[in-house]
Amino acid sequence: MTSQSDNDVLAKQNYLIPITKRPELCFLRGEGHYLFDQNDKPYLDWIQGWAVNTLGHSPQVMQQALIKQSAQLINPSPAFFNQPMLELAERLCEKSKFDQVFFTNSGAEANEGAIKLARKWGQKHKSGAFKIITFEHSFHGRTLATMSATGKEAFAPLFEPKVSGFTKVPYNDLAATEAAIDGQTVAVMLELIQGEAGVIPADAEFVAGLDALCKQHNLLLIVDEVQTGIGRTGSLFAYQQYQADPHIMTLGKGLGGGVPIAAMVIDKSVSCFDYGDQGGTYNGNPLMCAVSAAVLQEVLAEGFLPQVNRVSEYFCQQLAVLAKEFGLGAIRGKGLLLAINTGNYSGPQIVELARDAGLLLNAPREDSLRFMPALTLTETEVDEGIALLAEVLTTLKNAVQ
């Protein structure tokens, strides 16, 4: 494949509004677990679009679904039913405890919908209750309402005044949650694993306690599974690993495997939108729904999720070897949403050096690395990535001796 020089490709970057610091490279293609830049250099990708590319880069099953559906119907308008929308909604409900689906384009939009639905339910069934309890260090999206719900400290001063009605309490603290409930509280909303906080799982006892509190106080329980859903944690949905009976679940990222689709999935007992309350131009788009259905079919295939758990166990074992050799800290997470404490090493520095070596990583915190590979990962790619990470750590270790 003909490569393009840095100057040819990157000269166009000034046409974009700068919203984050990006490295001086541009990816032109992807195959499975690898990305290739403008110079055709390969990178083993353990970010995969932030836990988005469920099956890796450009899998055949997604290509085929796009081609087939694009020849039939792309956009009939959200005012009408379309077959992929109906079939995907049915599949999601069949494989979960929920009854109805509202499709969106992003996880933030799904969470926004959950907030709106909870407030509508509070108006109709709980004397106008509107407050939602969320958690410190949480991340629910970048719309104004979802930023207001988010417990990320960096968001606190941005775009004031924010949407009111969100009470933030410490994560995994049931007593603090109970103390925050008042007569205007309508729901509790949480990530079962806080990804941006450094991959921090909710304690089983905490989730069971939240479920009991919601039942006791007639509150809705909302689980944000934008990052954890669709097999990422080793089960189809993370809530299935907990003693919990949520009323609302939000999905995104892995639902489309790389195309923009997300969903709010609900118990019919809380379905209370009036006509006109909710909508969206591209929501339930047949092209996106067809691709999502193809991804979901692969994840639900016999042996797929057991393989995710086997590779997860192997990955953790190899990370433990690295931790012992280089003095790293705890390994956290479930399935193929994992993190490790970097000890005395800088997470962002590791990310930069690893990228130079051909390994893409994420550091959500100064002292953490987050691993979000495709769910099709094998032991071979684990070994390759661990070897590259070991080289980086050896370089850093030698630099301080």
Side-chain angles (χ1 to χ4, degrees):
M1 178 174 288
T2 303
S3 65
Q4 300 185 46
S5 71
D6 290 0
N7 290 337
D8 290 341
V9 175
L10 295 172
K12 299 177 177 66
Q13 64 182 286
N14 291 333
Y15 291 106
L16 294 175
I17 296 174
I19 48 90
T20 189
K21 184 179 180 180
R22 293 184 171 107
E24 290 293 305
L25 56 86
C26 177
F27 291 118
L28 303 186
R29 64 187 178 96
E31 297 175 9
H33 299 283
Y34 299 89
L35 280 170
F36 297 82
D37 69 12
Q38 70 272 23
N39 297 310
D40 213 31
K41 176 182 175 179
Y43 298 78
L44 178 61
D45 186 3
W46 280 1
I47 298 176
Q48 290 287 347
W50 265 255
V52 166
N53 302 328
T54 306
L55 307 178
H57 292 285
S58 302
Q60 284 293 318
V61 67
M62 290 180 64
Q63 294 183 45
Q64 292 164 3
L66 281 166
I67 292 168
K68 181 179 178 181
Q69 185 59 44
S70 66
Q72 294 176 338
L73 181 65
I74 294 177
N75 182 22
S77 154
F80 304 103
F81 296 119
N82 67 74
Q83 186 174 359
M85 168 207 286
L86 295 172
E87 291 180 350
L88 179 58
E90 179 186 34
R91 192 73 160 150
L92 288 171
C93 291
E94 284 179 343
K95 295 300 178 179
S96 70
K97 57 115 10 214
F98 301 99
D99 306 303
Q100 296 177 343
V101 180
F102 174 73
F103 290 113
T104 69
N105 309 294
S106 69
E109 191 183 344
N111 284 333
E112 185 98 6
I115 292 165
K116 290 165 70 176
L117 182 62
R119 289 190 169 188
K120 184 76 175 190
W121 184 85
Q123 289 172 359
K124 286 191 169 186
H125 303 293
K126 207 167 186 290
S127 303
F130 67 97
K131 292 181 180 177
I132 298 176
I133 296 173
T134 62
F135 295 91
E136 294 175 2
H137 308 299
S138 61
F139 183 87
H140 297 295
R142 292 182 179 275
T143 65
L144 195 56
T146 55
M147 287 184 76
S148 303
T150 290
K152 187 173 181 176
E153 293 179 6
F155 280 9
L158 299 180
F159 312 121
E160 292 294 300
K162 291 202 180 63
V163 177
S164 62
F166 297 99
T167 306
K168 299 178 183 69
V169 299
Y171 194 58
N172 280 323
D173 189 332
L174 190 62
T177 307
E178 185 170 19
I181 297 171
D182 62 26
Q184 293 184 310
T185 305
V186 71
V188 176
M189 182 177 187
L190 82 155
E191 301 160 278
L192 294 170
I193 298 179
Q194 289 191 333
E196 289 293 306
V199 187
I200 311 298
D203 296 335
E205 298 81 4
F206 174 65
V207 175
L210 284 182
D211 189 78
L213 277 179
C214 287
K215 288 180 169 65
Q216 177 186 346
H217 294 276
N218 192 26
L219 307 177
L220 302 186
L221 180 59
I222 305 168
V223 289
D224 176 346
E225 293 223 33
V226 170
Q227 188 161 146
T228 57
I230 315 300
R232 176 58 54 181
T233 66
S235 56
L236 188 59
F237 308 112
Y239 84 84
Q240 294 167 331
Q241 300 181 40
Y242 289 90
Q243 184 182 330
D245 186 26
H247 301 89
I248 301 172
M249 173 177 68
T250 56
L251 300 171
K253 294 185 183 291
L255 179 63
V259 302
I261 185 171
M264 176 175 64
V265 194
I266 71 170
D267 189 303
K268 62 184 178 183
S269 66
V270 302
S271 184
C272 62
F273 279 143
D274 293 318
Y275 289 167
D277 283 350
Q278 187 62 297
T281 302
Y282 299 106
N283 296 11
N285 177 278
L287 194 61
M288 300 302 99
C289 287
V291 176
S292 179
V295 172
L296 188 58
Q297 183 174 341
E298 290 294 306
V299 174
L300 290 171
E302 184 177 357
F304 188 95
L305 290 175
Q307 174 66 6
V308 169
N309 286 306
R310 282 192 294 271
V311 173
S312 172
E313 183 178 359
Y314 182 75
F315 202 156
C316 290
Q317 290 170 353
Q318 301 312 304
L319 286 174
V321 172
L322 274 189
K324 184 176 181 180
E325 181 178 356
F326 294 99
L328 307 181
I331 300 162
R332 302 180 297 276
K334 297 175 182 286
L336 288 174
L337 178 57
L338 300 171
I340 190 168
N341 186 284
T342 56
N344 293 325
Y345 300 101
S346 163
Q349 187 178 19
I350 293 173
V351 166
E352 185 174 347
L353 293 175
R355 185 173 63 242
D356 293 341
L359 174 64
L360 301 179
L361 300 173
N362 168 246
R365 299 273 169 165
E366 176 65 29
D367 62 352
S368 295
L369 294 177
R370 176 168 46 169
F371 308 101
M372 303 167 283
L375 301 189
T376 52
L377 191 73
T378 69
E379 287 87 346
T380 299
E381 287 94 26
V382 172
D383 289 342
E384 180 184 350
I386 291 292
L388 290 169
L389 186 52
E391 290 178 10
V392 169
L393 291 169
T394 298
T395 298
L396 291 172
K397 183 178 180 179
N398 291 339
V400 297
Q401 287 180 345

